[in-house]
Amino acid sequence: MNVIENLKNAIKLLDEIDEECNKIPKEESEIDTKLSDIYHFIENNHLTTNQRYRIVSLITNLRKERRNIKNKGKLLLTLGQHKDKLIQSDNRKMLLAEIYKKEKQLQSKYKYRIYTEEELKELVGE
């Protein structure tokens, strides 16, 4: 076992995680700005049915990308909150358990706050 190489690799991985963590707000902001541009475009322009279809498809893709970024950010935040558990080997499994727990929470289905699912389905003509 090459201790120095292993330690260099571990540090490199931790640095990559920190870099990823620092990119999250910029990525989120960029998508929010794109969505805002689209919303204003919709507000200020008359769109054909085909154009509306394409713009809703674009919004859908951006929202999915935003959700992935937010989920990644929440996992990294959980890591940051429990980073001290990396120090002792006995606690590392607890850290991983916390990450798995957060990941499971993030997979839960969205709960509508204003509309019911039935009202939304009625709005779109289902």
Side-chain angles (χ1 to χ4, degrees), residues 88-114:
Q88 292 195 346
S89 61
D90 293 346
N91 292 338
R92 292 179 191 146
K93 288 182 182 173
M94 290 172 47
L95 168 63
L96 199 52
E98 289 293 331
I99 298 290
Y100 285 139
K101 180 177 155 185
K102 177 55 77 176
E103 184 179 45
K104 186 175 179 181
Q105 287 174 349
L106 294 172
Q107 300 303 321
S108 64
K109 188 176 178 185
Y110 178 80
K111 292 182 174 76
Y112 299 109
R113 294 179 282 176
I114 302 291

Side-chain angles (χ1 to χ4, degrees), residues 2 16 18 20-21 23 25 29 34 36 43 49 56 58 70 74 93 98 119-121 125:
N2 187 334
E16 286 175 13
D18 287 341
E20 197 66 30
C21 205
K23 289 188 327 189
S29 177
K34 286 179 181 180
S36 182
E43 179 181 349
T49 301
V56 167
L58 178 59
K70 285 191 76 69
K74 289 180 180 182
K93 288 182 182 173
E98 289 293 331
E119 289 172 324
L120 290 168
K121 284 181 178 180

Side-chain angles (χ1 to χ4, degrees), residues 31-44:
I31 289 180
D32 287 342
T33 303
K34 286 179 181 180
L35 287 166
S36 182
D37 285 352
I38 293 168
Y39 297 148
H40 283 95
F41 183 80
I42 292 168
E43 179 181 349
N44 295 321

Side-chain angles (χ1 to χ4, degrees), residues 6-115:
N6 286 346
L7 189 54
K8 282 170 51 177
N9 288 335
I11 290 170
K12 181 182 176 197
L13 288 172
L14 290 171
D15 287 346
E16 286 175 13
I17 289 170
D18 287 341
E19 284 177 35
E20 197 66 30
C21 205
N22 292 332
K23 289 188 327 189
I24 300 268
K26 183 180 184 256
E27 291 174 346
E28 240 182 280
S29 177
E30 188 176 301
I31 289 180
D32 287 342
T33 303
K34 286 179 181 180
L35 287 166
S36 182
D37 285 352
I38 293 168
Y39 297 148
H40 283 95
F41 183 80
I42 292 168
E43 179 181 349
N44 295 321
N45 294 279
H46 176 76
L47 302 173
T48 66
T49 301
N50 198 25
Q51 290 168 328
R52 282 185 242 148
Y53 174 80
R54 284 197 302 257
I55 212 152
V56 167
S57 180
L58 178 59
I59 290 170
T60 301
N61 291 336
L62 286 169
R63 290 291 304 167
K64 286 178 181 178
E65 186 178 346
R66 186 177 189 281
R67 173 59 47 210
N68 288 335
I69 291 168
K70 285 191 76 69
N71 286 353
K72 181 172 50 173
K74 289 180 180 182
L75 288 174
L76 290 170
L77 179 64
T78 301
L79 171 64
Q81 291 169 338
H82 299 279
K83 218 175 202 177
D84 58 321
K85 291 180 179 161
L86 283 171
I87 296 169
Q88 292 195 346
S89 61
D90 293 346
N91 292 338
R92 292 179 191 146
K93 288 182 182 173
M94 290 172 47
L95 168 63
L96 199 52
E98 289 293 331
I99 298 290
Y100 285 139
K101 180 177 155 185
K102 177 55 77 176
E103 184 179 45
K104 186 175 179 181
Q105 287 174 349
L106 294 172
Q107 300 303 321
S108 64
K109 188 176 178 185
Y110 178 80
K111 292 182 174 76
Y112 299 109
R113 294 179 282 176
I114 302 291
Y115 295 103

